[in-house]
Amino acid sequence: AQSVAQPEDQVNVAEGNPLTVKCTYSVSGNPYLFWYVQYPNRGLQFLLKYITGDNLVKGSYGFEAEFNKSQTSFHLKKPSALVSDSALYFCAVRALTTSGTYKYIFGTGTRLKVLA
Amino acid sequence: DSGVTQTPKHLITATGQRVTLRCSPRSGDLSVYWYQQSLDQGLQFLIHYYNGEERAKGNILERFSAQQFPDLHSELNLSSLELGDSALYFCASSPWDSANSPLHFGNGTRLTVT
């Protein structure tokens, strides 16, 4: 079955420390992967995507993600966390539907809390 | 600002009632996706339209229906509402239907069923 897993409901990190939010996936074919961030009472905002090319993808607000094909992972990272990074983060993957079209599958989300 | 507009922002209604949620996609985007976000179930895909045609259905109840109009705006109709339908409903748009470009989300409609 095609799926996305975010194994951690919440990640706590001290301000200034590096952060990692984990994501693993299972899809048929080449994976198209995305990260989104959601602030309270707002819609999801696109951070970055991997479709092909370099395994390290750079995105908005200093975030980056590393694609690892052998581990089927796409972890979100940032070298130095800010308090303002505290939000809900979603990993998503493109999946093929039974009717031959495509859809996005979202993970359950990981709440990042950056402590001052 | 994502360019996706959803109305209304908040909706409070009673069980058994029917409501309509509206979405205007980002200019130039042909695909509209509807998602339901509740506290215990994360982001659930409901339905996808591309240029007026239904492209994929997710976990959408039979009491729910949607359509996309010639001007590309979309409406999600929820009927015979139950308490469990209380959630945030998001609309998102993208240029194509191949799911290889990022989605642009509206700020959602918060539905409360009492």
Side-chain angles (χ1 to χ4, degrees):
Chain A
Q2 302 181 96
S3 63
V4 173
Q6 293 182 244
E8 302 154 317
D9 289 338
Q10 181 159 320
V11 169
N12 294 328
V13 64
E15 187 176 29
N17 282 1
L19 69 87
T20 299
V21 182
K22 295 179 181 177
C23 171
T24 58
Y25 64 90
S26 173
V27 291
S28 50
N30 293 323
Y32 286 20
L33 298 154
F34 306 84
W35 274 103
Y36 292 83
V37 59
Q38 185 181 28
Y39 297 100
N41 300 313
R42 301 296 299 273
L44 280 67
Q45 296 176 35
F46 167 71
L47 280 178
L48 50 80
K49 69 176 181 182
Y50 173 85
I51 293 181
T52 187
D54 195 348
N55 289 344
L56 186 63
V57 180
K58 294 191 183 296
S60 306
Y61 313 121
F63 283 93
E64 56 191 28
E66 187 168 11
F67 170 67
N68 187 315
K69 188 173 182 178
S70 62
Q71 297 186 3
T72 61
S73 67
F74 189 55
H75 300 332
L76 182 69
K77 301 182 180 187
K78 188 173 183 182
S80 178
L82 300 172
V83 171
S84 57
D85 292 330
S86 299
L88 189 56
Y89 290 81
F90 288 93
C91 180
V93 66
R94 182 180 85 160
L96 192 60
T97 71
T98 53
S99 57
T101 60
Y102 291 100
K103 66 178 180 181
Y104 300 84
I105 297 178
F106 284 83
T108 50
T110 298
R111 189 163 300 280
L112 173 67
K113 193 168 184 181
V114 181
L115 308 168
Chain B
D1 182 12
S2 68
V4 178
T5 303
Q6 287 188 252
T7 57
K9 290 184 180 178
H10 302 276
L11 204 47
I12 300 175
T13 189
T15 54
Q17 295 299 304
R18 172 190 171 93
V19 296
T20 297
L21 313 184
R22 182 188 168 101
C23 169
S24 294
R26 200 174 61 138
S27 178
D29 284 356
L30 300 177
S31 267
V32 169
Y33 297 78
W34 285 97
Y35 288 88
Q36 179 192 57
Q37 186 179 35
S38 52
L39 279 176
D40 58 348
Q41 291 194 3
L43 204 64
Q44 297 292 320
F45 167 64
L46 295 178
I47 197 163
H48 168 211
Y49 278 86
Y50 174 73
N51 203 20
E53 292 188 7
E54 182 185 303
R55 297 291 281 171
K57 268 187 175 179
N59 301 321
I60 188 166
L61 300 172
E62 286 192 12
R63 301 182 285 110
F64 295 1
S65 65
Q67 53 185 328
Q68 186 180 28
F69 296 87
D71 68 352
L72 301 176
H73 92 270
S74 179
E75 294 181 354
L76 179 67
N77 300 296
L78 315 177
S79 62
S80 304
L81 285 168
E82 302 175 359
L83 295 177
D85 297 328
S86 296
L88 260 174
Y89 291 84
F90 286 107
C91 162
S93 73
S94 72
W96 313 114
D97 68 342
S98 52
N100 60 355
S101 54
L103 288 173
H104 297 269
F105 282 80
N107 284 331
T109 294
R110 183 173 293 281
L111 174 66
T112 302
V113 182
T114 62

